[in-house]
Amino acid sequence: MAKIEVKGLCKSYDRREILRDIDLTVEQGEVLALIGPTGSGKTTFLRLVDLLEEPTEGEVIIDGAKITGLPGRERLKVRRRMAMVFQKPVMFRANVMDNVSYGLKIRGETGIEETVLEAISAVGLEGYETRDANTLSGGEMQRIALARALVLNPELLLLDEPTANLDPKTAASIDALLSRFEGTVIAATHNMLQARRLADRIAVLVEGRLIALGGPEEVLDERGLFGLSEDLHSRSLVPW
Amino acid sequence: MEEIAAGFISAIELIVTLNPAVVEITMRSLTISLSSILLASLYCIPLAGLIEFHSFRGKRPLINFIQTLYSLPTVTVGLLVFLLLSRSGPLGSLDLLFTPTGMVIGQTLLITPIMIGLTIAAIGAVGTQIRDTARSLGATEFQIILTVIKEAKPAVLAAVLLGFGRALSEVGVAMMIGGNIRGYTRVLTTAIALETSMGNIEFSIALGIILLSISLLINLILNLVQGR
C-alpha cells in the first residue's frame, strides 16, 4: 500500500491549462474517487501519477519520495508499484491468457498460470482464456484490463472510469471486487453513486481545479448529486 | 496470334517438364531476392523502429525523403552500385561486380527505402494506447518497442513481402550489376529481356508465367497475413 501526496500539480498542453495547482494526499489503503465533468482533468491527473506524462509544475510523492522527474530505471521501478486501467482499454494482439499475464511476463516471473487464471475468474470471465482478446465486447475488454492490472497486485491502482462500459450487474460485481482490493485506489468516475459506494473520500475537479475534497457525505447529497452549492454545480458547464 | 498461342503451349511444356534451364534461372532469382530481403529486414526493421520511436529535428523531412525514394528507378540504383563496385570504385577491390553477391547488395539498397518507409507506417499505425498500456503495466522501453512491433506484425510482414516482390521483379540492378551471365548471374527478368530479343518467345513466356505465379503467390500470402 502506498501513500500518495500531490503538491502544486499543474499540467498544460501548449498554452491550454488542464490542471491547476492540485494539492491532495491519499492515505495508504484509501479509495479516492475523482469526480468531475468531461474535460475537467481527471484522466490527466491519473496519467501524471502513473508517470505517463510529466507535470508542467508541481510534484507527486509516494511514501515520502518524490517520483516526478526520475530517470528511466528509477521511474520504471516506481511505475511497477502501480497499475492503471484506461477508460477505453486496448487489448494486445493475443488471447485473454496472454493479455492478463503480460505484466507478469515482462517482469520475468514464472509459474504464473494459476495466478492468471484466478485473476480471469475474479472478473467473471473463466472459460475465456484462449479467446482472442480483440474479439471481446467493450465490457469484457474492460474486465480483462482490470484483471491485467489486479494480477500485478499493485500498491496503487489507478482506474479511469472502471465501469463505464459495463451493464449494472457486471458493474456491481466489479465494485465488489474493488472493495476487496487492499491497496490504495484512485478512481476517476462520472458515476457519483459508485463514488459514494466505493470511496473513502471524494475529490471534485472542475476545469482543472480541485474544488472540493472530503468524505462522500460531505461532498455528495442524498440524491448522489453534487451537494456543495448550487453555485458551484452551475459552474460546471458540461453535464455530469 | 497463333505464334503467341504456340509460345504459350511450349512455355507450359517447359514448366511442366521442369526444364533444367528454367528451373536453374528460377532458383537463382529466388535465392538472390530472398537473400536481399533477409539482409534488408535485418537493418530496415530496427532502423524504422529507431526513427518512429524517437523524436528528433528533421524527422518529418527524413520520412518524406525515404518515401520519395520508393519510386527510385532501378537503373539509378544499378548505376550507383556499379560505380561503387567497379574496379576504379571505392569497393572495387572486393571484386563483386558481375557476381550474385553484387546483385544482392544492389537489390538490398533498392528495397531499403520501401522497407523502412512501410515499416515506419506500420509501427506508427499501432497507436499510442498500446504503448501507454504496455508502459503502465511496467514494460521497459525495449519491451515497449518489441510489443509495438509484435502488434504491427501483419503490416511489417506486408512491407517485407512488398520488398521481396520489388526485388524479384526489377531488371536494372540485375542487368547492370549481374551482367546477365548465363549459369551465373542470369535471373528471370534479365533472361526474359534477352530471350525475347533473341526471338525465343516460348522460353520468355515460360519465365514470365513463373514470375507472375510467384507474384500471385506473394499476393495471396499478403492477403492471408493482412486478413488475420
Side-chain angles (χ1 to χ4, degrees):
Chain A
M1 285 190 279
K3 178 183 175 181
I4 320 298
E5 294 166 80
V6 172
K7 291 182 180 172
L9 202 66
C10 300
K11 181 67 183 176
S12 302
Y13 295 106
D14 298 323
R15 285 181 189 167
R16 203 159 56 92
E17 243 184 350
I18 305 297
L19 285 177
R20 273 185 278 176
D21 208 18
I22 308 288
D23 285 293
L24 63 85
T25 301
V26 189
E27 297 296 335
Q28 286 187 350
E30 188 181 16
V31 177
L32 177 81
L34 210 55
I35 63 173
T38 305
S40 59
K42 303 187 297 290
T43 300
T44 304
F45 180 85
L46 295 178
R47 290 178 64 86
L48 289 172
V49 174
D50 199 31
L51 303 180
L52 293 174
E53 291 182 43
E54 277 293 313
T56 315
E57 275 179 56
E59 53 191 41
V60 179
I61 297 161
I62 291 190
D63 293 338
K66 183 183 162 192
I67 62 163
T68 36
L70 286 174
R73 190 173 284 270
E74 295 301 311
R75 169 181 286 253
L76 178 70
K77 210 182 279 180
V78 172
R79 196 186 282 122
R80 284 189 171 184
R81 295 171 62 190
M82 336 177 195
M84 180 165 168
V85 178
F86 296 87
Q87 186 174 3
K88 287 180 185 163
V90 288
M91 297 288 111
F92 298 118
R93 195 187 289 275
N95 64 26
V96 166
M97 190 81 183
D98 287 340
N99 263 278
V100 177
S101 58
Y102 180 87
L104 294 171
K105 280 184 184 164
I106 58 172
R107 284 164 172 77
E109 291 190 24
T110 51
I112 55 175
E113 198 181 328
E114 202 177 322
T115 316
V116 174
L117 288 173
E118 272 173 26
I120 295 171
S121 169
V123 294
L125 290 176
E126 56 270 64
Y128 276 59
E129 293 78 12
T130 55
R131 289 267 298 269
D132 179 350
N134 279 296
T135 62
L136 302 179
S137 70
E140 287 166 342
M141 283 189 190
Q142 191 104 32
R143 285 147 80 185
I144 292 300
L146 190 61
R148 195 164 58 182
L150 286 174
V151 80
L152 301 172
N153 199 18
E155 293 176 52
L156 170 63
L157 185 60
L158 302 165
L159 304 168
D160 195 357
E161 303 289 354
T163 54
N165 301 323
L166 304 180
D167 60 80
K169 193 180 163 201
T170 314
S173 70
I174 295 300
D175 282 356
L177 185 68
L178 289 175
S179 62
R180 289 197 301 273
F181 178 70
E182 290 178 346
T184 310
V185 179
I186 305 177
T189 180
H190 275 91
N191 186 335
M192 293 187 216
L193 290 173
Q194 183 187 40
R196 174 194 279 277
R197 233 179 8 250
L198 284 180
D200 298 310
R201 282 189 305 152
I202 294 175
V204 184
L205 277 180
V206 174
E207 292 170 1
R209 285 185 305 121
L210 182 65
I211 61 163
L213 178 65
E217 66 289 348
E218 296 171 76
V219 177
L220 302 175
D221 65 18
E222 67 283 355
R223 292 168 299 161
L225 296 172
F226 181 35
L228 283 177
S229 77
E230 284 302 318
D231 174 49
L232 282 172
H233 195 217
S234 65
R235 279 163 57 188
S236 160
L237 298 175
V238 186
W240 47 294
Chain B
M1 195 63 198
E2 270 179 35
E3 195 184 348
I4 295 173
F8 198 81
I9 291 164
S10 305
I12 299 292
E13 270 178 29
L14 284 170
I15 295 169
V16 174
T17 57
L18 294 177
N19 176 280
V22 171
V23 172
E24 183 228 295
I25 291 171
T26 305
M27 291 315 290
R28 185 174 304 111
S29 255
L30 286 173
T31 308
I32 290 174
S33 297
L34 279 172
S35 304
S36 306
I37 199 70
L38 281 176
L39 192 62
S41 299
L42 278 179
Y43 68 86
C44 289
I45 295 173
L47 209 58
L50 212 62
I51 294 171
E52 176 57 25
F53 282 102
H54 290 89
S55 299
F56 55 88
R57 208 183 159 93
K59 178 175 171 174
R60 198 62 246 171
L62 174 68
I63 293 173
N64 286 341
F65 178 67
I66 290 169
Q67 287 169 341
T68 306
L69 294 180
Y70 287 2
S71 50
L72 193 66
T74 59
V75 283
T76 311
V77 179
L79 175 65
L80 179 77
V81 180
F82 182 90
L83 293 172
L84 283 173
L85 300 182
S86 64
R87 287 208 179 278
S88 54
L91 301 176
S93 59
L94 297 175
D95 252 350
L96 291 175
L97 196 60
F98 306 129
T99 66
T101 309
M103 292 166 76
V104 170
I105 293 170
Q107 288 191 352
T108 304
L109 286 178
L110 177 75
I111 60 178
T112 291
I114 204 165
M115 289 276 298
I116 294 179
L118 292 180
T119 308
I120 287 174
I123 294 171
V126 167
T128 52
Q129 296 99 321
I130 282 286
R131 295 182 202 189
D132 280 347
T133 301
R135 189 169 280 127
S136 75
L137 290 169
T140 62
E141 288 307 307
F142 183 66
Q143 286 168 332
I144 293 168
I145 292 174
L146 286 184
T147 302
V148 172
I149 290 177
K150 199 176 160 200
E151 291 295 308
K153 199 164 72 178
V156 172
L157 274 175
V160 171
L161 287 172
L162 283 172
F164 177 64
R166 180 151 162 85
L168 189 74
S169 59
E170 69 84 24
V171 190
V173 172
M175 191 71 91
M176 292 170 79
I177 308 303
N180 202 14
I181 302 165
R182 187 178 174 184
Y184 188 47
T185 59
R186 186 163 299 170
V187 289
L188 284 168
T189 51
T190 57
I192 290 172
L194 181 75
E195 298 296 339
T196 306
S197 68
M198 288 166 62
N200 293 332
I201 299 296
E202 68 276 12
F203 200 77
S204 291
I205 294 176
L207 297 180
I209 290 171
I210 291 170
L211 198 58
L212 212 61
S213 304
I214 296 171
S215 297
L216 179 70
L217 191 69
I218 292 171
N219 243 313
L220 288 175
I221 296 172
L222 198 65
N223 283 329
L224 198 73
V225 165
Q226 285 178 331
R228 277 184 188 169

